[in-house]
């Protein structure tokens, strides 16, 4: 019998969970939602993600898949991780009336195993906010703080670009 490299289920670390929020001062939620729900258009708002291409399905319909690629994250600069990262993400659900969508990673070289995220736009009296909740198995060479920083920074950049675009 060959040794197994998998840990028994009860010895695995619990999934990491986190949430990032970004405030947009002037755009209304109804203006921001169409930008976020464009599942194949994420690269328009996230400079760290120069590539976001449709792989399967229709953007905005559950089951559609996008291919995302970029360069090393700040966390990976000192590591042996590939210079370029990529992943395929599948839209799990979308609810325009609640302005929320969920997706997961289905393949890639970034080590985000069992990654599931939910993004939603929340109306506010003056503007709106975007919330990005996520869970993932612990990532080799990272801490939860590293992931929180990366996603928080990415969300702030997305919100800033969306707001600038809508204020033109």
């Amino acid at each position: 019998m060959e040794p197994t490299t998998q840990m028994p289920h009860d010895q695995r670390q619990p999934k990491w969970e986190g949430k990032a929020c970004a405030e947009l001062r002037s755009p209304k939620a109804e203006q921001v939602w169409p930008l976020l729900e464009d599942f194949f258009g994420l690269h328009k708002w996230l400079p760290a993600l120069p590539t976001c291409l449709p792989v399967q399905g229709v953007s905005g319909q559950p089951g559609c898949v996008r291919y995302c690629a970029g360069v090393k994250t700040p966390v990976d600069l000192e590591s042996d991780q590939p210079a370029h990262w990529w992943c395929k993400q599948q839209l799990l659900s979308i609810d325009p009336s609640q302005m929320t969508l969920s997706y997961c990673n289905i393949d890639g070289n970034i080590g985000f195993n069992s990654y599931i995220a939910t993004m939603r736009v929340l109306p506010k009296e003056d503007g709106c906010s975007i919330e990005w909740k996520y869970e993932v198995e612990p990532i080799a060479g990272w801490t939860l703080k590293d992931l929180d920083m990366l996603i928080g920074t990415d969300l702030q950049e997305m919100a800033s670009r969306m707001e600038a675009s809508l204020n033109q």
Side-chain angles (χ1 to χ4, degrees):
M1 182 175 197
E2 292 185 35
T4 179
T5 57
Q6 289 185 329
M7 278 188 205
H9 181 68
D10 58 354
Q11 291 180 5
R12 290 185 191 153
Q13 290 182 315
K15 280 189 171 184
W16 289 348
E17 294 181 6
K19 178 173 81 169
C21 293
E23 306 288 323
L24 290 86
R25 293 196 176 129
S26 57
K28 297 292 182 195
E30 295 77 21
Q31 295 173 288
V32 173
W33 171 247
L35 307 179
L36 188 64
E37 78 172 330
D38 178 11
F39 195 67
F40 296 156
L42 183 60
H43 62 289
K44 297 173 190 172
W45 314 114
L46 193 54
L49 179 76
T51 303
C52 181
L53 301 169
V55 172
Q56 169 184 320
V58 176
S59 185
Q61 292 186 3
C64 70
V65 175
R66 66 185 175 197
Y67 169 85
C68 300
V71 295
K72 283 189 175 190
T73 68
V75 174
D76 292 328
L77 290 177
E78 301 292 323
S79 77
D80 294 332
Q81 293 294 320
H84 296 277
W85 63 265
W86 66 272
C87 66
K88 288 182 182 176
Q89 298 177 329
Q90 183 175 42
L91 184 64
L92 298 173
S93 65
I94 189 165
D95 184 343
S97 67
Q98 296 295 311
M99 292 185 272
T100 185
L101 62 83
S102 295
Y103 66 93
C104 67
N105 282 0
I106 57 172
D107 197 6
N109 70 347
I110 57 176
F112 284 33
N113 298 320
S114 300
Y115 175 82
I116 299 174
T118 300
M119 300 183 83
R120 68 182 189 164
V121 181
L122 301 161
K124 298 183 73 165
E125 193 170 304
D126 57 341
C128 65
S129 63
I130 303 173
E131 179 182 270
W132 185 345
K133 289 184 179 180
Y134 45 92
E135 66 178 54
V136 65
E137 289 179 10
I139 303 165
W142 289 47
T143 66
L144 178 55
K145 185 177 177 181
D146 294 332
L147 183 59
D148 285 342
M149 182 184 70
L150 176 69
I151 290 181
T153 300
D154 283 352
L155 181 57
Q156 292 300 324
E157 182 65 29
M158 284 175 53
S160 175
R161 287 175 171 252
M162 288 176 172
E163 190 166 30
S165 173
L166 292 167
N167 286 335
Q168 288 182 359

